[in-house]
Amino acid sequence: MFIAKEPSTITITKVAKNSSVSELNYNNKMNVFPNPAINNITVSMDRTVANIADINIFDITGKLMMNVSGVNASEKNIELSNLNKGIYIVNVVLSNGAKASSRLIVE
């Protein structure tokens, strides 16, 4: 029997059956700045991966707060005046169908 001397955290990630290893690595190719943000953000994707097709911003309950579609570029500026202060998830759908996500704090 193993007994931990200090509390530890276990993170469990569910991966869809048809996910590929390359899709799992796209999060580190995405950048959202500034973060924390006040009025606007820039969402960018490494140009060696694929262009951004769509950007979705969800609140922490999973409610879709903003959708920017038809981007077709490696970078997009987004105005945040319609978002309240809080924590959001920025999900990006790439032109090759892969997805990436990042946490965003709006102050």
Side-chain angles (χ1 to χ4, degrees), residues 26-100:
Y26 282 159
N27 288 345
N28 64 4
K29 304 285 186 185
M30 178 181 162
N31 196 12
V32 176
F33 60 93
N35 195 3
I38 297 173
N39 298 321
N40 55 56
I41 58 170
T42 299
V43 178
S44 66
M45 199 69 194
D46 185 326
R47 291 181 180 159
T48 63
V49 176
N51 276 342
I52 298 168
D54 299 309
I55 300 170
N56 297 301
I57 300 178
F58 297 90
D59 68 10
I60 58 171
T61 67
K63 180 180 176 185
L64 178 64
M65 303 302 292
M66 185 179 294
N67 170 267
V68 181
S69 59
V71 176
N72 196 28
S74 63
E75 187 172 287
K76 178 69 176 173
N77 295 314
I78 301 173
E79 203 261 311
L80 301 175
S81 64
N82 293 333
L83 296 181
N84 294 323
K85 293 180 180 180
I87 299 172
Y88 297 88
I89 301 297
V90 179
N91 284 340
V92 170
V93 179
L94 302 176
S95 58
N96 64 4
K99 297 177 182 176

Side-chain angles (χ1 to χ4, degrees), residues 1-10:
M1 178 196 269
F2 174 76
I3 300 175
K5 294 182 180 179
E6 296 180 19
S8 59
T9 302
I10 298 173

